[in-house]
Amino acid sequence: MAYAASNSTIVTDTKAFTTAVGSGEEFIQWIKDQLVEAGWTRQALLAKISYTAFGIADGDTVTLDGNVFTFYSTTPSGSNPVNRGASNHAAMVNLGAEVLLVMDWDSTVSGDTITFTVASNGPEYTGNVLLCSTTRAGVSGIFDFNPDSTTGLGRTWNGGFRMTSSAVHSNPLIIDFRTIASRTCDITALIKDPIANFTGIQVNNSWSIVANKYQFILYITGIYVAGAFMLASHLKPSRDLEWANFVTGPFNPVSPFGGRRDGDFSDLSVNYYADIATGSPYTDIITTDPNETVTLVYPGFGYGVTSLQKLINKIPNFTLVRDDGTGIPFEAFIAICPTDPGSFATSVQIVGQLWDSLIYATLGVKDNSVDIGGKDGIVMMTQQGSADISIGSLVVQIET
Amino acid sequence: MSGIVFGVNYSFRRIVTIQAAAWDVQTSINQLTAALIECDWTQVSTISGSGGTTGYELISSPTPNRNTRMRVSIWWNGTTTVVFGWPIIQIKVADSNGANSFTRDFLTIRSDLGAKSVRFVCNPFQFFCWYDSTLSPGGASYNTDTFNRSTAFGGVPVLVTPLSGGEAFWFQSGGRDFRQDVVPDSNAQYAFLINGNFKSGTNSVATTLAPELLIMRGDRLVNDVPFPSGNYPVTTPIMMIGDHTNGVVAISLWDAITVSYPYTTRVVTTADFCTWENITQNASIGTLFVVTDSQFQLTQPGYSY
């Protein structure tokens, strides 16, 4: 095998986000734009619209894209009616999922008319059943991102984009980016089947991205703690595999876990998703067993003198340099358990390579610029060596 | 990217593989010398040995572009094993001027075993000598005692420094050497010369790194890591030499690869129009393979690359 060059446009960008209402959607739009430029495909994900329920009655109307819809009944068979003044939550519960329609349309409210604007490339509306409400007295309907609130600004929520990577052979990496209901700026990166839900990305920061058509890395310069990092890759699979997908990132928007690079290479294993062709997709968190820990594989060496220490090298803190003093680049092979190590007795295997990346057996400085094959690169992760742990830096190419 | 590549550092030169006699001193010396000469080493002088034997000093062929050479001397100075009195042949390695030398009693001659022989593989820049019990009578395939000696590995390495004429060589023999593992133990004898730094002796000094090879392993794993197919990574040999004061550097070998899996038996295989054979057996980690035959053996020295 050789350097895993994506042979695609490498997209980089940096943008600051806040906690303001709408910043989560702005963040998702930004990710979408970068990944599309890098060669990913996008699909709009339907948003949800919640309204403060002032009551629904027969004859109430709503106009959708110039079409007027009239409510016939608020009482589906077998369910309880929704009374005036009932909360939106109660309405949803009582009326049931079959009445809830998810849409990704922009909307404006004027009087008791809600006007939806269908995106030119959005999905077509095919249903004619809505859950919403209007005030019969003509007062503007108020809808909110908080399903149970009666105040706020009207907008959609939980919408976003499904981003699909390019595929080497098959089974590209698919990630749904959505805003999180009830939180102004948080998002979720949802991996379909099984569900790996990376909800801990701390949007309120200045984020950077480096992406190619198979892989992206989201990071914050100078901040390495949990919630400040996400790596998602449709790996260049090992020759024996049809595909290998890997994502590491944080969950828990309030107290993030994972999605960090303040430790060493084992940070890749803190909270991750893996879908390897020879096994079933799974999510897992880091364990104490190094044989189950996502690991970068390269001819690094630690130091020590006992029989199990790497190479019985007695001298610590050596970096790998050639006779001319230059560092040796190694392919970024990554070893992952093909099946959930928590459920099966299994060890890591070299399932593929990170794209446009190399490992230098030297201790670099995170976020510093380095040369990678004559192109600009950045030190993304580092690892201090010890007796059984190889010294190293994961370097990612940022220049096409 | 230049220098050590991800592929094999093929010499594209003559490779000689023989079962060299190890049952008679002069026969052994003659066959080892003849093998080196056949792959473009040049005889420099003769050495008057013990018991009327004759030894030889040779110099390797200049490496491409850098023209680096080393000297090797093979002779018998009369040394015998303490018990049984079997002769032990000497090998001396040195730089192209004969300086920075190290001598090792490396090959025990056993006339009591019939036609004992050792595996000897050489090219214009390096040599490997080891014993294999599947090819010759003589006991276990690796040294388990201090008197049945049969290993010597050395050569001019693959370098990246564009320093024409710069001296460099490496050598290892004895103890748990490359015959048994890619990492020598504290009983191994070694010598190296790199960037003006010469070190030699027994691998028991904490601040000196005797020649050892790196293996693909997880960044915090001691064990090897396979591919899903069950195969293991094959890499360009990365040999580490040096010391704490002058620095440790990575050099490479000609016509060789390392496999990140510990083979315990003799393996002969073909790839890249070459025949490969493992030197390392009984390893705990990794195996060194060398080319024993190649379809790409040029008769003229020198090539552009």
Side-chain angles (χ1 to χ4, degrees):
Chain A
M1 298 184 75
Y3 181 67
S6 66
N7 295 320
S8 72
T9 301
I10 296 176
V11 173
T12 59
D13 194 40
T14 299
K15 188 171 182 178
F17 301 91
T18 67
T19 59
V21 173
S23 61
E25 293 180 41
E26 184 184 3
F27 186 74
I28 291 175
Q29 289 281 351
W30 174 72
I31 292 176
K32 178 263 294 181
D33 291 340
Q34 308 309 314
L35 294 184
V36 166
E37 185 178 352
W40 292 54
T41 57
R42 53 78 81 188
Q43 175 188 347
L45 291 174
L46 305 181
K48 300 173 185 174
I49 301 174
S50 69
Y51 299 86
T52 301
F54 291 97
I56 303 172
D58 286 348
D60 284 346
T61 63
V62 61
T63 303
L64 301 174
D65 196 23
N67 300 305
V68 177
F69 293 86
T70 304
F71 282 100
Y72 291 94
S73 173
T74 60
T75 307
S77 60
S79 300
N80 296 320
V82 178
N83 299 317
R84 291 177 186 277
S87 70
N88 193 66
H89 174 74
M92 289 182 180
V93 169
N94 291 332
L95 291 176
E98 70 270 17
V99 186
L100 177 65
L101 178 70
V102 292
M103 301 176 286
D104 69 343
W105 299 331
D106 293 330
S107 61
T108 57
V109 174
S110 175
D112 59 355
T113 301
I114 305 171
T115 303
F116 295 87
T117 304
V118 181
S120 60
N121 58 351
E124 295 183 2
Y125 171 70
T126 58
N128 63 357
V129 178
L130 294 175
L131 172 64
C132 64
S133 70
T134 62
T135 59
R136 302 194 72 196
V139 175
S140 298
I142 302 173
F143 54 100
D144 196 301
F145 57 81
N146 185 334
D148 293 318
S149 174
T150 58
T151 60
L153 300 176
R155 64 178 181 84
T156 61
W157 56 272
N158 205 229
F161 296 95
R162 168 162 293 175
M163 303 307 298
T164 303
S165 72
S166 294
V168 177
H169 304 301
S170 65
N171 290 69
L173 179 60
I174 302 173
I175 304 178
D176 293 350
F177 290 94
R178 293 178 177 272
T179 56
I180 294 179
S182 81
R183 298 186 67 83
T184 57
C185 66
D186 290 333
I187 69 166
T188 176
L190 190 66
I191 315 298
K192 61 182 290 293
D193 189 27
I195 302 299
N197 209 348
F198 297 99
T199 60
I201 295 174
Q202 301 300 289
V203 174
N204 179 27
N205 275 293
S206 179
W207 281 89
S208 296
I209 186 170
V210 53
N212 58 50
K213 62 182 180 181
Y214 302 113
Q215 167 181 298
F216 71 84
I217 301 174
L218 286 165
Y219 65 100
I220 302 172
T221 298
I223 299 177
Y224 314 118
V225 296
F229 177 70
M230 181 174 185
L231 184 153
S233 182
H234 176 73
L235 298 168
K236 180 181 180 181
S238 295
R239 187 163 47 191
D240 331 292
L241 294 179
E242 186 71 12
W243 75 88
N245 291 320
F246 171 76
V247 180
T248 184
F251 65 70
N252 193 332
V254 177
S255 181
F257 176 83
R260 56 189 295 177
R261 53 188 184 118
D262 58 347
D264 53 28
F265 290 157
S266 66
D267 286 344
L268 293 171
S269 202
V270 174
N271 180 43
Y272 68 96
Y273 159 88
D275 178 15
I276 312 302
T278 53
S280 299
Y282 69 92
T283 62
D284 210 336
I285 60 174
I286 192 169
T287 67
T288 57
D289 187 348
N291 292 296
E292 300 175 355
T293 302
V294 176
T295 183
L296 297 174
V297 181
Y298 58 102
F301 66 121
Y303 62 89
V305 294
T306 65
S307 61
L308 291 181
Q309 288 170 334
K310 285 196 167 188
L311 302 185
I312 319 180
N313 162 30
K314 309 172 192 66
I315 307 173
N317 299 323
F318 266 124
T319 57
L320 276 185
V321 294
R322 295 176 282 200
D323 55 284
D324 63 351
T326 59
I328 304 174
F330 299 115
E331 298 124 319
F333 284 113
I334 186 168
I336 305 171
C337 291
T339 55
D340 189 349
S343 303
F344 302 96
T346 183
S347 296
V348 292
Q349 299 172 5
I350 302 173
V351 299
Q353 292 173 258
L354 294 171
W355 297 94
D356 302 325
S357 302
L358 288 174
I359 299 171
Y360 292 171
T362 58
L363 183 61
V365 177
K366 279 192 283 283
D367 302 332
N368 272 17
S369 298
V370 294
D371 178 90
I372 179 170
K375 299 288 185 180
D376 292 338
I378 184 174
V379 178
M380 191 59 65
M381 301 180 74
T382 59
Q383 177 158 285
Q384 176 74 49
S386 69
D388 292 328
I389 299 176
S390 301
I391 198 168
S393 301
L394 175 64
V395 177
V396 179
Q397 184 176 334
I398 61 172
E399 177 185 358
T400 300
Chain B
M1 301 173 193
S2 62
I4 299 175
V5 295
F6 295 116
V8 182
N9 295 306
Y10 287 115
S11 69
F12 296 111
R13 297 282 295 275
R14 185 80 172 92
I15 295 172
V16 173
T17 301
I18 62 170
Q19 285 297 118
W23 47 267
D24 175 78
V25 171
Q26 190 65 64
T27 305
S28 179
I29 293 173
N30 291 346
Q31 291 186 355
L32 294 172
T33 303
L36 290 170
I37 292 174
E38 188 177 349
C39 57
D40 295 332
W41 290 61
T42 301
Q43 181 178 321
V44 176
S45 64
T46 59
I47 302 171
S48 179
S50 177
T53 61
T54 300
Y56 303 95
E57 181 185 28
L58 304 102
I59 188 169
S60 65
S61 189
T63 57
N65 295 349
R66 295 170 186 82
N67 300 313
T68 306
R69 311 174 82 172
M70 70 174 296
R71 293 194 182 198
V72 167
S73 301
I74 303 173
W75 80 104
W76 182 46
N77 64 7
T79 299
T80 61
T81 60
V82 174
V83 182
F84 305 116
W86 296 320
I88 308 179
I89 292 178
Q90 284 67 54
I91 186 169
K92 183 175 76 173
V93 292
D95 65 24
S96 65
N97 298 308
N100 297 308
S101 67
F102 176 73
T103 300
R104 159 75 174 165
D105 302 333
F106 86 102
L107 180 58
T108 301
I109 301 300
R110 297 286 300 273
S111 58
D112 60 310
L113 296 175
K116 180 195 171 184
S117 62
V118 289
R119 198 89 169 127
F120 189 69
V121 179
C122 57
N123 70 22
F125 317 121
Q126 72 192 15
F127 57 90
F128 300 97
C129 179
W130 73 94
Y131 170 77
D132 192 305
S133 63
T134 64
L135 301 175
S136 162
S141 278
Y142 38 84
N143 293 332
T144 58
D145 54 60
T146 59
F147 53 86
N148 271 311
R149 300 184 179 187
S150 57
T151 58
F153 313 105
V156 176
V158 178
L159 301 172
V160 298
T161 306
L163 185 63
S164 179
E167 301 281 1
F169 70 85
W170 68 273
F171 174 78
Q172 188 197 82
S173 171
R176 190 177 172 84
D177 57 20
F178 285 154
R179 179 60 177 145
Q180 296 190 58
D181 214 327
V182 295
V183 177
D185 70 356
S186 59
N187 294 315
Q189 302 290 307
Y190 74 96
F192 65 77
L193 173 62
I194 186 73
N195 293 335
N197 180 26
F198 173 71
K199 289 289 187 293
S200 65
T202 305
N203 183 32
S204 58
V205 178
T207 55
T208 300
L209 210 59
E212 61 184 73
L213 294 167
L214 301 188
I215 295 299
M216 292 276 287
R217 285 188 286 195
D219 58 83
R220 53 185 59 243
L221 288 172
V222 176
N223 298 325
D224 37 60
V225 184
F227 289 102
S229 63
N231 293 321
Y232 287 82
V234 175
T235 54
T236 305
I238 300 176
M239 176 179 283
M240 305 301 299
I241 56 175
D243 68 88
H244 192 266
T245 301
N246 299 287
V248 174
V249 295
I251 58 178
S252 193
L253 306 180
W254 303 93
D255 303 321
I257 55 172
T258 49
V259 180
S260 299
Y261 179 76
Y263 289 93
T264 57
T265 58
R266 179 171 181 248
V267 177
V268 180
T269 187
T270 56
D272 267 6
F273 302 99
C274 294
T275 302
W276 297 84
E277 187 171 327
N278 60 324
I279 292 175
T280 315
Q281 292 185 18
N282 193 42
S284 58
I285 54 162
T287 301
L288 174 64
F289 277 77
V290 294
V291 175
T292 56
D293 190 20
S294 170
Q295 296 187 28
F296 298 122
Q297 299 187 48
L298 303 176
T299 56
Q300 296 298 321
Y303 59 93
S304 60
Y305 77 118

